[in-house]
Amino acid sequence: MNLTSLTDRPVEWLKGGPESDVVVSSRVRLARNVDGRLFVWRASDEQRAEVEKLLRDAILSLELEPPLTYTRLDGLDPVLLELLLERRLISTEQAEGDWIRAVAFDEAEQISIMVNEEDHLRLQVIRSGSRLQQAYRRADELDDALSQTVRFAYSEKYGYLTACPTNVGTGMRASVMLHLPAIVMAQEMDRIIRTARERRLAIRGVYGEGTHGAGDFYQISNHVTLGVSEDELIETVARAGTKLAEMERTARLNLYRQHRKEFETRIRRAYELLCSASAISSQEALNLLSQVRMGAQMNVLEETRIETLNKLFLLTLPAHLQTMEGEVLDNSVANEVRAAYVRSVLTSG
Amino acid sequence: MNDEEPICEECGERPATWHLTEFVDGQPVQHHYCDKCYAEKEGGGAILTPQIAFAQLLAALAPELKEMAGRQCPVCGINYLEFRQNTRLGCPHDYQVFESALEELIQRIHGATEHCGKAPPEAGKGALTRRRIHALQKEQQEAIATQRYEQAAELRDRIQEMKEQTNEPDEPDG
């Protein structure tokens, strides 16, 4: 398929769904390795090629309807790699690799199967909103189907064997992505971090380094993968997501009730800036869109719809912008193009 | 999760998930900390991503290095030092080759060393049984917490039975 056409399509995980005022999306990722084979980093190019072929055959034999798109990533244009990364179809590690590797994904962009990432197979299902159970069921089904043709490395004691012991056992990372602008505004992130820690969950900013997230998007996930069942992990993460969502909603209400004037002014100012700036960086856009999204969610701002904002979150990202423009943009030009694009989308409602 | 999780020696309240071995005057001294106290001891506030936590754990393993240094995997050829440097294993067989060092590492990462989740179709019943025991243990804890002691006792017996069953000869490890 022509990957550039992806920009015409909405992504699954910005589609709304249950609790999506705060819980943007849910994701389950399973790590698997082919039995009797060296792990990716240790294997030779020839061995990696063998595993890629083996897994490609297995994935295509799934015969899903409609069929998965299978794309080799080695040698792919870096902008397209970044496009896939922005759409969360591949991980940073997969994008930055330079060996034989691939990704298979479905039309809805809910399913994504990476070949030769840190493990031979990284199977991922994303759903919008708070839908971890559904995401897991689908991932589980796919795992079962692949197990019919591939023998995965597994030991009775340690479970599914992975390249890094941090993933051994279930090989599962369950996560939810949360939008927490009010918590950030009220400077209560340490409460969130504490809540996550108490439940042995990791938390990180989605767009940015370490804990701070541009656009106030945060991901919480399990980091323990052994000694617990998959169902338990799903439950723990889903519950935490719900709890943190409640905290965010309370924070939004508090901000509105106790600091109404400042709150409304701030939201308005963000909106006006987006409508009038002549140049805007990706980070800035994320931060301003975050404020505006919160305002729209709370009906403080009625000029624009959530769907429009969700679209903008994605299309203002560097690779998406560049792909839509159809040419390579240097930074300052990109910032102008981005600003123009945002202005045109917002002013046309 | 283990039945007998040690309690943090710092706060005395929360279960310890960090188990460190310090060498004092050539003698190993065990320390047990919960997440909160450990983070505070290590200069607090930093988010421990799996990668950072793992690297710190590896650093704390130095004493084991002497023992493991000689071992090499016959399949992928890595030795323990290479594993430590790359923070990744070379092949599935390494889990057997470096088992004793890995056991402790895995215990620290996950607070457990036995899988009780899903198994592939060709696998034995070990994990399934452990998963069932695990689920029963949770029920038992809830029963105790809600003072349904009769139920808790019944569960205790069922758990005992299941544990005895798993002590029967197992299929060889995959």
Side-chain angles (χ1 to χ4, degrees):
Chain A
M1 83 169 298
N2 183 0
L3 292 177
T4 58
S5 66
L6 283 174
T7 56
D8 296 331
R9 311 208 296 220
V11 277
E12 155 68 18
W13 45 274
L14 282 173
K15 278 191 181 150
E19 295 199 69
S20 61
D21 54 330
V22 181
V23 185
V24 177
S25 62
S26 312
R27 176 169 68 176
V28 171
R29 180 273 274 152
L30 300 175
R32 300 284 187 258
N33 286 282
V34 178
D35 197 26
R37 300 276 179 168
L38 267 54
F39 291 140
V40 180
W41 76 272
R42 187 72 182 176
S44 66
D45 280 340
E46 203 184 311
Q47 289 165 334
R48 287 171 186 163
E50 280 168 18
V51 168
E52 189 271 330
K53 171 145 195 349
L54 200 157
L55 289 174
R56 186 185 347 133
D57 289 343
I59 289 166
L60 293 177
S61 80
L62 288 174
E63 291 189 336
L64 298 181
E65 253 332 296
L68 298 176
T69 300
Y70 190 93
T71 309
R72 278 281 289 271
L73 299 174
D74 37 310
L76 196 67
D77 181 346
V79 177
L80 290 178
L81 280 173
E82 199 168 328
L83 192 68
L84 293 171
L85 179 61
E86 287 173 0
R87 296 180 86 80
R88 303 171 72 198
L89 293 169
I90 61 175
S91 62
T92 307
E93 165 128 14
Q94 191 71 329
E96 290 175 354
D98 60 1
W99 54 85
I100 295 168
R101 62 210 199 285
V103 67
F105 57 91
D106 66 337
E107 205 173 300
E109 290 175 69
Q110 290 175 2
I111 298 168
S112 156
I113 305 177
M114 288 187 281
V115 175
N116 284 348
E117 204 241 26
E118 181 180 278
D119 296 295
H120 293 146
L121 204 76
R122 286 269 173 116
L123 191 159
Q124 161 182 297
V125 176
I126 294 188
R127 295 304 308 274
S128 57
S130 176
R131 281 192 273 213
L132 219 40
Q133 281 292 353
Q134 290 95 316
Y136 175 55
R137 270 201 291 270
R138 195 74 181 96
D140 192 32
E141 271 167 30
L142 290 164
D143 182 42
D144 285 343
L146 287 169
S147 296
Q148 300 300 315
T149 48
V150 183
R151 195 185 167 102
F152 291 134
Y154 176 88
S155 87
E156 287 295 321
K157 182 170 162 78
Y158 290 127
Y160 288 97
L161 302 177
T162 51
C164 188
T166 52
N167 289 310
V168 81
T170 58
M172 182 164 97
R173 187 87 52 212
S175 60
V176 285
M177 184 158 104
L178 307 168
H179 188 221
L180 306 174
I183 296 265
V184 173
M185 216 188 255
Q187 299 183 316
E188 289 181 356
M189 268 311 286
D190 57 315
R191 282 181 65 213
I192 297 286
I193 293 170
R194 211 179 316 136
T195 305
R197 280 267 207 74
E198 278 163 11
R199 294 149 195 250
R200 301 202 295 173
L201 299 175
I203 177 165
R204 64 173 187 90
V206 175
Y207 297 106
E209 297 298 316
T211 49
H212 179 66
D216 310 314
F217 289 104
Y218 292 87
Q219 179 178 284
I220 53 159
S221 61
N222 62 293
H223 56 81
V224 168
T225 56
L226 180 71
V228 280
S229 71
E230 287 81 359
D231 290 316
E232 274 181 287
L233 285 174
I234 295 291
E235 200 186 312
T236 304
V237 177
R239 273 227 196 115
T242 299
K243 172 102 174 97
L244 295 177
E246 276 165 24
M247 287 165 76
E248 168 66 15
R249 284 183 198 112
T250 304
R252 286 181 192 182
L253 260 165
N254 284 340
L255 274 174
Y256 187 66
R257 286 186 184 147
Q258 290 159 21
H259 306 279
R260 185 154 173 173
K261 241 249 108 339
E262 297 139 69
F263 183 70
E264 284 178 347
T265 306
R266 190 157 165 173
I267 305 283
R268 284 250 134 239
R269 187 164 296 152
Y271 180 70
E272 280 154 19
L273 243 163
L274 285 168
C275 290
S276 62
S278 56
I280 190 163
S281 73
S282 185
Q283 293 262 309
E284 278 181 280
L286 282 172
N287 289 325
L288 293 170
L289 285 167
S290 172
Q291 306 288 296
V292 173
R293 184 184 195 266
M294 175 170 52
Q297 285 283 348
M298 296 172 68
N299 297 318
V300 161
L301 202 72
E302 289 172 350
E303 285 84 330
T304 177
R305 292 172 12 231
I306 306 284
E307 294 77 28
T308 309
L309 292 167
N310 284 344
K311 221 175 68 164
L312 282 173
F313 273 117
L314 190 65
L315 297 176
T316 53
L317 292 175
H320 272 80
L321 197 70
Q322 193 151 288
T323 303
M324 288 191 305
E325 281 300 294
E327 55 179 282
V328 181
L329 304 168
D330 84 39
N331 233 13
S332 51
V333 176
N335 291 347
E336 284 166 17
V337 170
R338 178 177 295 110
Y341 180 67
V342 171
R343 283 195 320 263
S344 76
V345 170
L346 288 181
T347 50
S348 66
Chain B
M1 290 236 302
N2 290 326
D3 297 332
E4 311 127 21
E5 244 182 34
I7 298 295
C8 173
E9 64 188 55
E10 192 76 19
C11 63
E13 289 169 4
R14 290 173 287 268
T17 50
W18 295 85
H19 311 282
L20 310 176
T21 306
E22 226 190 345
F23 269 30
V24 180
D25 297 326
Q27 293 304 311
V29 176
Q30 285 273 313
H31 292 288
H32 305 280
Y33 300 115
C34 68
D35 277 352
K36 184 172 180 348
C37 295
Y38 180 71
E40 270 156 29
K41 283 189 104 58
E42 294 302 296
I47 296 294
L48 293 172
T49 64
Q51 290 76 17
I52 295 173
F54 187 53
Q56 282 183 337
L57 288 170
L58 282 184
L61 268 182
E64 279 77 21
L65 184 60
K66 289 195 192 120
E67 206 201 301
M68 284 273 119
R71 294 209 204 166
Q72 186 179 45
C73 173
V75 175
C76 69
I78 69 164
N79 57 45
Y80 190 60
L81 189 58
E82 279 176 282
F83 157 53
R84 285 194 62 207
Q85 281 170 348
N86 291 288
T87 71
R88 295 176 194 181
L89 296 165
C91 76
H93 190 64
D94 293 352
Y95 279 92
Q96 270 178 262
V97 176
F98 303 117
E99 177 157 5
S100 45
L102 278 178
E103 179 96 349
E104 190 167 346
L105 181 66
I106 287 173
Q107 171 68 36
R108 275 185 233 170
I109 297 170
H110 301 283
T113 56
E114 292 195 322
H115 179 57
C116 61
K118 179 180 180 179
E122 70 277 359
K125 292 270 182 282
L128 181 60
T129 311
R130 278 196 294 270
R131 182 160 69 230
R132 288 188 179 141
I133 291 177
H134 192 86
L136 288 174
Q137 281 170 339
K138 279 189 84 176
E139 266 187 67
Q140 185 192 29
Q141 279 165 25
E142 270 176 50
I144 293 174
T146 53
Q147 296 173 332
R148 290 171 290 144
Y149 296 120
E150 234 182 72
Q151 194 166 353
E154 264 176 48
L155 286 163
R156 180 201 59 210
D157 293 339
R158 278 172 70 189
I159 292 168
Q160 197 50 40
E161 244 181 77
M162 291 201 88
K163 281 190 172 172
E164 274 158 22
Q165 278 174 15
T166 61
N167 284 332
E168 281 163 26
D170 240 322
E171 287 101 307
D173 237 25

